[in-house]
Amino acid sequence: MPPRSEEPRRDATGSRRGSSAGGRGADPRSGEPGIGGISDARAYTPRGRTIREGGGAARTGAGGGAGQRRTPRSSRSGDPFRPALQVLDGGRAGSPRTGRRDTAEALDGGRAGAARAGRRDTAAGGRAGVVRTVSARPVREPFDDDEPTPPRRRPGPRRPERPAAARRPVRKPRRPPRLADPRRRLRLGTLLALALFAAIGIRLVVLQTVTTPAYADGGLPDRVVSVELPAPRGAIYDRAGDPLAHSVEARYVYADPELVKDRFATARLLSPLLGVPASDLAEKMQRRTRPGTTTKSRFEYLARGVGIDKAKEITALKLDGIGVHRDEAREVPGGDLAANLVGFVSPDMTGLEGLEAKYDDLLEGQPGKKTYEVGQGNLAAPIPGGYSQTTLAKPGSSLQLTTDRDLQYQAQRILSDQMAQIRDGVGAAVIIEIPSGEVLAQVSYPGYNAAYPEKARPADREDAATSFVVDPGSIHKAITYGAALQEGVITPDTVFPVANTITRGGVPFTDTHPANGRRMSIPGMLAFSSNVGTIEIAEKLGRDRLIDYQKRFGLGQPTGEGMPGEAAGRLLPADEWSGSSYGSVPIGHSVDATPLQMAAAYAAIANDGTYVQPHLVKEVIGPDGTRTPAAAPLTRPVLSPQNAAALRRMLEAVTTIDGPDGQATGLAAAVPGYRVAGKTGTGLRYVDGKRQPGAVGSFIGMAPAEKPRYVVAVFGWSPGGEGGAVAAPAFREIMGFTLHHYRVPPSAEPAPKFTAFP
């Protein structure tokens, strides 16, 4: 191996490293300019090649003699990048065994496309060698990106050079690929965009027009609330328009037991405001499960119809689990005034008794409803412009009755005062206007306060005028005498002897005022209430005709006045008559009737023999104030006007005969200044078909007798039989007040004089 040369390392052109351009650092042996400094730094690329190496390379060959230099091992190995890697390692020379690489091959990368221009041999420094000069094409900068990096040549022996003629021809540069037409791309993009917008538009149209209801309805329940709009219940007025019962706005107080923290403390605070015992309130607030379910109770009424002022006080307490909401209360201004007639309602405003129950469908309103969208959470308020639908509430219609509030009050007061004199009694009073048949007052005893119906016994809440079924007794005799007059059996001047006793079917019938077989006039028979004389007249009339007139006068069927549950009474059918029935039926026994039925029969006598159905409802007032008169009452002729007038005249004897032969039974019913025609009666009371102890005393009369304006009927029952002492005085006071209340002038002529025993 030759010794390592100590002279500076040269590159492929023979120049030394470290020399500068422009003559500085030139090799004294070759005269070649060197590369050094900044030029040397710029000449190297990242792959280790220099610009000078790219332009050509000198390859040294083997010379003869001892001075000939051995080809470096790197040239034999054929690795053209080895010098470059050495440059990158710092530019140090390789080992003496490797020598220098052929820089021209390093530049070409093993490509065979470069043409060799010629060869020249030079000798330098006593060494013989051959230098091959290669004509090279311009070389691009190795960092230009438009030319791919030449492939790395595999190390190995160098192929012998082929002749120029045998070399592969230089390929023509490929034609660049044809670019796409921008106009086609623009048209395609436009079409795609239009298709996209069309699809979106069609979808929007479908959503807005076709499927909108489905989507809207699907989410509506989650954001829609409904509020009931209450409809006030109609009022009940008297004939002058004064309210007997009407509805007012109120509040109800409720509890959510699951939210009430201390039910006992809460009950103590609410008790004085609600007027309910604290123990009852605490019981309602106790947590419980609803019957038949596993659901916890979250709502319990504590009070209904609470006044607005009280409700505000309760709200101010801010009690946990206690709430207040709008309610309706039925107000009865008169308390017990006409309570048995008007009736009452439940807390839910449903009629339970009286006219409230009879006309519940007409009085109750139809609640409205408002449905609207609200916000979520704390914004639970109507959404402006959102869904909203309102069904207006329809208030109930009102009733205007034929009753007179003032007259009702006085009749109720008078009857109560009279009935208070007897023990455990039941009484009724009815006032009918002639000729309209309107009921001006209808009184029951005992009464109750309709504002607190739960405090009264069920029997005390009944309307006695339509439910008090009695054996009318002697007041029925007016029907028997009226039928006999109409059928010509008797005349006002008829006189015949009357015995003290008469027996029919083995049953004796006697008189309380014995005639002792004397001749007796028809007025006298009425004045002394002769049973024997009445039975004899009925036998001449006959059973069938008597039953027919009973029906004409309205017995045996409800009057249809308007009260619910009105009793029909009962007439004894002809096929059920026994031997004693011929004696009992004419004098008012074996007959069931109500006070109202008997009052209506006397009203037919007062109305010149025409029966007019008694009625309570005058007109219906709609929610808009429209007034609709009630249906006209049923009417039918019963007696001729002449016979009716004759019967009225004979009935005056009941309140006027007072002589040596005795006093008439109805003297206590006489009204000073007015002629009164009427009849007393003593009957029996039956409950569920069973006769009750005691007796029913009654008086029915009309005034002024010469031209009646009003009929008043009074009934009183007591277990001790004191009703007879009550009826006539009560009639006198009620009739007297009625005549004065309506300013009826006194009778111009005194009552006729009657002789009982001519």
Side-chain angles (χ1 to χ4, degrees):
M1 178 181 297
R4 180 179 296 179
S5 175
E6 296 298 333
E7 61 183 18
R9 187 173 181 179
R10 299 176 185 265
D11 58 13
T13 59
S15 61
R16 291 181 182 177
R17 293 253 177 104
S19 61
S20 62
R24 291 179 300 170
D27 188 354
R29 291 173 293 183
S30 61
E32 295 288 335
I35 298 177
I38 295 177
S39 297
D40 189 12
R42 291 180 61 187
Y44 284 92
T45 66
R47 294 189 182 273
R49 292 183 294 173
T50 66
I51 295 177
R52 290 184 180 272
E53 292 169 341
R59 181 178 298 171
T60 58
Q68 188 176 10
R69 203 168 182 179
R70 182 179 296 177
T71 302
R73 183 174 300 176
S74 62
S75 297
R76 292 196 303 265
S77 64
D79 186 358
F81 298 100
R82 184 61 177 240
L85 294 176
Q86 290 176 352
V87 172
L88 291 177
D89 290 341
R92 294 185 301 268
S95 67
R97 292 175 294 180
T98 58
R100 292 190 180 93
R101 294 181 180 271
D102 189 349
T103 57
E105 291 179 359
L107 178 62
D108 293 339
R111 290 179 295 183
R116 296 179 178 87
R119 181 183 301 170
R120 69 179 175 176
D121 298 329
T122 58
R127 298 186 184 95
V130 179
V131 178
R132 180 181 297 168
T133 302
V134 180
S135 176
R137 57 181 176 180
V139 180
R140 293 179 180 268
E141 292 291 334
F143 41 80
D144 287 346
D145 294 336
D146 57 351
E147 185 178 18
T149 304
R152 185 186 298 261
R153 295 181 68 180
R154 295 182 181 179
R158 193 176 183 85
R159 292 181 181 179
E161 295 185 3
R162 290 181 295 178
R167 292 176 185 170
R168 185 179 299 174
V170 180
R171 293 182 179 179
K172 294 182 180 180
R174 295 182 179 179
R175 293 183 61 183
R178 185 177 181 181
L179 299 177
D181 189 352
R183 291 174 297 179
R184 293 178 60 187
R185 288 184 297 189
L186 180 60
R187 286 195 293 267
L188 180 59
T190 303
L191 289 175
L192 291 176
L194 292 176
L196 178 62
F197 282 113
I200 295 174
I202 293 173
R203 181 59 178 165
L204 289 176
V205 171
V206 171
L207 290 176
Q208 293 292 330
T209 60
V210 179
T211 60
T212 296
Y215 283 105
D217 295 342
L220 204 58
D222 296 334
R223 63 181 184 277
V224 169
V225 297
S226 295
V227 177
E228 184 178 277
L229 304 178
R233 185 178 177 86
I236 299 178
Y237 302 104
D238 77 336
R239 66 188 299 115
D242 295 325
L244 297 175
H246 64 103
S247 295
V248 296
E249 184 178 354
R251 300 290 185 268
Y252 67 77
V253 181
Y254 66 93
D256 184 346
E258 297 297 320
L259 299 180
V260 176
K261 294 183 177 179
D262 188 343
R263 60 190 179 99
F264 296 102
T266 303
R268 286 192 295 269
L269 292 173
L270 293 178
S271 180
L273 296 175
L274 298 179
V276 180
S279 58
D280 294 345
L281 294 176
E283 173 63 23
K284 292 180 179 180
M285 289 185 283
Q286 184 177 3
R287 296 183 180 181
R288 58 173 59 87
T289 301
R290 295 201 174 278
T293 66
T294 58
T295 305
K296 297 291 185 180
S297 175
R298 302 300 302 270
F299 183 92
E300 294 291 338
Y301 280 115
L302 298 182
R304 299 292 302 271
V306 179
I308 297 178
D309 294 339
K310 293 290 184 183
K312 289 182 178 179
E313 294 182 31
I314 294 173
T315 303
L317 295 176
K318 298 181 179 179
L319 300 174
D320 294 327
I322 305 299
V324 176
H325 203 273
R326 189 187 186 282
D327 197 10
E328 181 181 0
R330 198 66 168 170
E331 187 175 82
V332 185
D336 62 346
L337 181 65
N340 301 76
L341 186 66
V342 174
F344 60 93
V345 298
S346 69
D348 294 329
M349 295 292 110
T350 301
L352 297 181
E353 288 189 14
L355 295 175
E356 294 275 21
K358 176 69 174 182
Y359 297 96
D360 184 62
D361 293 341
L362 187 146
L363 291 170
E364 71 173 352
Q366 298 178 4
K369 187 185 206 179
K370 183 175 182 181
T371 304
Y372 56 92
E373 289 185 86
V374 297
Q376 296 292 329
N378 295 330
L379 299 177
I383 299 176
Y387 174 82
S388 179
Q389 184 178 10
T390 301
T391 301
L392 297 178
K394 184 179 179 181
S397 298
S398 299
L399 294 178
Q400 185 168 23
L401 305 183
T402 59
T403 58
D404 186 318
R405 179 188 174 101
D406 295 336
L407 192 58
Q408 177 76 26
Y409 171 78
Q410 288 296 335
Q412 193 168 315
R413 181 190 63 79
I414 293 170
L415 182 65
S416 297
D417 292 344
Q418 293 293 332
M419 293 299 298
Q421 301 175 19
I422 59 180
R423 181 172 52 88
D424 299 330
V426 176
V430 179
I431 304 175
I432 298 178
E433 183 186 53
I434 306 301
S436 66
E438 294 179 353
V439 177
L440 300 179
Q442 191 161 304
V443 182
S444 299
Y445 179 88
Y448 72 101
N449 190 341
Y452 306 99
E454 66 280 356
K455 296 181 180 180
R457 296 179 303 174
D460 295 344
R461 300 197 298 257
E462 295 179 356
D463 175 54
T466 57
S467 64
F468 187 41
V469 179
V470 300
D471 187 341
S474 293
I475 57 176
H476 181 272
K477 293 176 181 177
I479 296 175
T480 302
Y481 284 91
L485 282 172
Q486 187 68 22
E487 294 298 322
V489 174
I490 62 172
T491 66
D493 300 327
T494 299
V495 177
F496 60 87
V498 178
N500 293 339
T501 304
I502 191 172
T503 301
R504 292 292 183 270
V507 178
F509 296 91
T510 61
D511 287 341
T512 56
H513 292 77
N516 297 320
R518 290 180 294 175
R519 293 171 60 88
M520 198 172 198
S521 65
I522 301 299
M525 294 179 189
L526 289 170
F528 294 111
S529 191
S530 174
N531 292 330
V532 176
T534 304
I535 293 172
E536 290 182 357
I537 292 174
E539 286 182 345
K540 296 178 181 179
L541 178 64
R543 178 192 65 185
D544 294 335
R545 285 193 293 183
L546 179 58
I547 294 174
D548 180 55
Y549 275 90
Q550 285 178 326
K551 293 178 180 179
R552 290 188 187 185
F553 275 103
L555 302 185
Q557 56 188 349
T559 64
E561 176 201 34
M563 289 297 295
E566 180 183 1
R570 183 178 181 272
L571 294 178
L572 188 64
D575 58 356
E576 294 183 12
W577 280 45
S578 64
S580 62
S581 299
Y582 288 90
S584 61
V585 172
I587 62 175
H589 297 291
S590 300
V591 178
D592 294 337
T594 64
L596 180 63
Q597 286 175 324
M598 296 307 301
Y602 274 74
I605 298 172
N607 193 34
D608 290 334
T610 300
Y611 178 88
V612 178
Q613 178 188 20
H615 51 282
L616 280 168
V617 179
K618 188 179 185 66
E619 58 186 5
V620 177
I621 305 174
D624 57 353
T626 303
R627 294 177 177 267
T628 304
L634 300 176
T635 62
R636 58 179 175 270
V638 180
L639 303 174
S640 67
Q642 295 79 11
N643 289 325
L647 183 57
R648 289 196 303 269
R649 187 175 183 276
M650 291 188 293
L651 287 172
E652 286 188 74
V654 177
T655 61
T656 58
I657 292 180
D658 185 10
D661 295 328
Q663 295 178 338
T665 58
L667 289 180
V671 179
Y674 296 91
R675 294 169 58 181
V676 177
K679 184 70 183 75
T680 59
T682 301
L684 303 174
R685 183 189 181 193
Y686 293 88
V687 177
D688 297 331
K690 297 181 180 180
R691 178 179 173 177
Q692 302 298 306
V696 178
S698 58
F699 189 93
I700 304 178
M702 59 200 74
E706 66 275 16
K707 188 174 180 60
R709 294 280 306 276
Y710 308 102
V711 168
V712 175
V714 178
F715 288 73
W717 170 84
S718 69
E722 302 91 353
V726 170
F731 168 87
R732 181 182 66 241
E733 292 188 46
I734 294 174
M735 179 62 82
F737 179 84
T738 302
L739 294 171
H740 288 95
H741 178 68
Y742 290 109
R743 297 190 174 119
V744 178
S747 298
E749 298 178 359
K753 297 295 182 178
F754 297 99
T755 301
F757 301 98

